[in-house]
């Protein structure tokens, strides 16, 4: 049954987060659930995820007897949103004004920036995200980008298209390299593991450095950033967009990096001052840069990033559902939170708003 009660008590960490802890702003916290008064007998669960039959079984078995409506974010109507008690997936924030008795918005993304503006999500609606679903996909993508640049693979691809048989010279390796990961959550922890498996020494920078995945050799706070940048052969960021991180990767940041180092960004595009990154590449101070996120997106055709030397860009594709495991993870998180919601238990990745 959908119950009326409030839980109090200590913080509960779910098993999925034992090895990699989420950011402190999004973690498991006691969340009350109130019975909603509605016209029908069933709870209406609006599913915007591109699910298959197996996913439907998982979701519907987590809330037996409830009413599941399957559509997409583009096809969802205001009437469906108005009638929903639970929405699984990312809805256009402007559509939330249609909500009449929504209790939970379970996002399919790990990020939730678009839903934090005051009044976007009604105050009595619980908001939860999918941190923990994207670690494998994003980290593998960014790892592949960095390693390909260290081995000049984008340059060789260019030569191939020009039918030119040329040697691009010495390459570097992750074995014994110093890797600095900015943002040591789920994705950063997965990326650190891949680098450690290649023989790299991995350190991290985290806003709250006292708790971090054991894969890191050491962890520092933001006050040590300049010192750690000077030591790193690879700097990879998976930081969220916050007032403190926007524009962090600027001219001073890149000047502090070790000459010949590589920079990668798989977090948020507004971390980087694009003109400053271009200047660091054009001067030869950086050996290369790989980004899957930009600001703005899509990246305008006139952006200097497109033609910067030793620059590798992908169009924010690392974290979508291109890897089957990612959607499986999102569905599992959604199903878990449906069970918690019914039982009045702690929700996974509840976001304060």
């Amino acid at each position: 049954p959908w119950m009326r009660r409030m839980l109090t008590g200590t913080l509960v960490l779910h098993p999925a987060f034992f090895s990699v802890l989420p950011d402190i702003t999004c973690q498991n916290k006691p969340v009350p659930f109130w019975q909603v008064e509605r016209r029908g007998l069933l709870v209406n669960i609006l599913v915007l995820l591109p699910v298959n039959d197996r996913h439907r079984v998982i979701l519907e078995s987590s809330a037996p007897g409830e009413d599941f409506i399957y559509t997409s974010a583009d096809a969802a109507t205001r009437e469906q949103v108005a009638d929903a008690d639970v929405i699984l997936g990312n809805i256009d924030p402007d559509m939330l004004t249609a909500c009449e008795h929504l209790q939970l918005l379970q996002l399919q993304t790990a990020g939730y920036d678009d839903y934090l503006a005051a009044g976007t999500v009604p105050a009595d609606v619980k908001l939860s995200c999918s941190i923990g679903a994207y670690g494998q996909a994003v980290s593998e993508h960014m790892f592949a980008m960095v390693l390909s640049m260290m081995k000049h693979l984008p340059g060789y691809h260019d030569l191939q298209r020009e039918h030119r048989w040329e040697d691009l010279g010495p390459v570097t390796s992750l074995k014994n390299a110093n890797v600095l990961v900015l943002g040591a959550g789920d994705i950063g922890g997965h990326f650190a593991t891949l680098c450690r498996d290649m023989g790299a020494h991995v350190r991290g920078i985290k806003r709250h450095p006292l708790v971090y995945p054991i894969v890191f050799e050491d962890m520092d706070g933001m006050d040590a950033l300049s010192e750690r940048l000077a030591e790193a052969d690879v700097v990879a960021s998976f930081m969220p967009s916050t007032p403190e991180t926007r524009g962090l990767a600027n001219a001073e940041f890149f000047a502090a990096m070790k000459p010949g180092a590589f920079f990668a960004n798989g977090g948020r595009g507004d971390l980087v001052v694009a003109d400053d990154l271009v200047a660091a590449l054009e001067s030869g101070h950086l050996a290369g840069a790989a980004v899957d996120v930009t600001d703005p997106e899509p990246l305008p055709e006139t952006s200097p990033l497109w033609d910067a030397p030793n620059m590798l860009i992908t169009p924010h594709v690392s974290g979508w559902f291109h890897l089957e495991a990612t959607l499986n993870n999102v569905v599992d998180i959604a199903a878990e939170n449906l069970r918690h919601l019914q039982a009045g238990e702690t929700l996974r990745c509840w976001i304060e708003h």
Side-chain angles (χ1 to χ4, degrees):
W2 295 74
M3 305 176 67
R4 179 200 301 268
R5 64 171 171 164
M6 180 180 292
L7 288 184
T8 59
T10 57
L11 181 70
V12 179
L13 291 179
H14 290 261
F17 290 89
F18 285 167
S19 60
V20 179
L21 296 178
D23 189 275
I24 195 169
T25 59
C26 177
Q27 51 186 297
N28 304 303
K29 299 180 181 179
V31 179
F33 175 70
W34 297 274
Q35 176 88 22
V36 297
E37 295 182 3
R38 53 189 180 275
R39 295 182 297 261
L41 297 176
L42 298 179
V43 169
N44 291 313
I45 301 172
L46 183 61
V47 182
L48 308 179
L49 305 172
V51 295
N52 58 33
D53 290 343
R54 185 178 71 83
H55 295 143
R56 293 187 184 212
V57 170
I58 292 172
L59 291 173
E60 292 174 18
S61 64
S62 68
E66 306 302 351
D67 189 17
F68 284 79
I69 300 95
Y70 296 92
T71 183
S72 66
D74 292 336
T77 66
R78 293 187 70 85
E79 290 75 18
Q80 288 174 324
V81 173
D83 203 38
D85 298 300
V86 175
I87 297 176
L88 306 182
N90 287 32
I91 189 76
D92 182 344
D94 292 337
M95 289 279 280
L96 293 174
T97 58
C99 295
E100 295 181 1
H101 43 73
L102 185 66
Q103 290 295 296
L104 170 64
L105 173 58
Q106 170 67 55
L107 301 178
Q108 69 198 42
T109 52
Y112 42 86
D113 311 354
D114 293 342
Y115 299 88
L116 290 185
T120 301
V121 179
D124 58 346
V125 174
K126 288 170 283 297
L127 178 64
S128 188
C129 67
S130 293
I131 282 182
Y134 293 88
Q136 178 186 355
V138 178
S139 65
E140 288 180 353
H141 184 97
M142 297 309 300
F143 180 82
M145 291 182 80
V146 170
L147 192 58
S148 71
M149 297 207 72
M150 297 179 80
K151 304 303 181 183
H152 300 321
L153 298 189
Y156 283 117
H157 184 257
D158 291 341
L159 291 176
Q160 176 186 335
R161 294 175 66 88
E162 297 172 5
H163 300 188
R164 294 165 56 193
W165 186 278
E166 296 181 15
D167 189 329
L168 294 179
V171 298
T172 53
S173 174
L174 281 169
K175 185 174 178 62
N176 294 321
N178 292 317
V179 175
L180 180 66
V181 177
L182 312 182
D186 174 53
I187 299 171
H190 276 83
F191 183 84
T193 299
L194 293 173
C195 293
R196 279 287 296 270
D197 288 346
M198 292 287 288
H201 305 288
V202 187
R203 302 183 69 126
I205 293 286
K206 198 170 184 282
R207 285 182 299 170
H208 306 280
L210 296 181
V211 179
Y212 58 89
I214 59 174
V215 67
F216 290 93
E217 294 183 10
D218 200 3
M219 187 68 58
D220 293 291
M222 292 297 293
D223 57 338
L225 179 59
S226 293
E227 180 181 355
R228 296 294 169 245
L229 287 174
E231 301 168 346
D233 300 295
V234 175
V235 176
S237 177
F238 303 99
M239 285 184 161
S241 177
T242 68
E244 294 74 27
T245 63
R246 292 178 196 128
L248 178 67
N250 56 16
E252 181 181 0
F253 178 102
F254 295 122
M257 286 179 61
K258 183 178 179 180
F262 293 87
F263 172 75
N265 187 21
R268 288 293 178 266
D270 60 11
L271 176 93
V272 176
V273 178
D275 289 342
D276 293 348
L277 176 56
V278 171
L281 291 167
E282 288 180 341
S283 70
H285 179 68
L286 296 185
V291 301
D292 183 53
V293 289
T294 62
D295 183 33
E297 292 181 357
L299 188 64
E301 293 183 6
T302 57
S303 172
L305 287 175
W306 290 113
D307 297 314
N310 299 314
M311 182 81 205
L312 181 57
I313 301 171
T314 54
H316 204 157
V317 293
S318 65
W320 188 234
F321 296 142
H322 299 303
L323 184 67
E324 182 180 2
T326 302
L327 181 55
N328 293 342
N329 293 339
V330 169
V331 168
D332 287 343
I333 292 171
E336 179 180 341
N337 273 346
L338 286 177
R339 292 191 296 270
H340 292 319
L341 193 63
Q342 288 184 89
E345 296 172 347
T346 302
L347 291 182
R348 176 170 168 176
C349 276
W350 177 69
I351 302 161
E352 204 165 357
H353 66 92

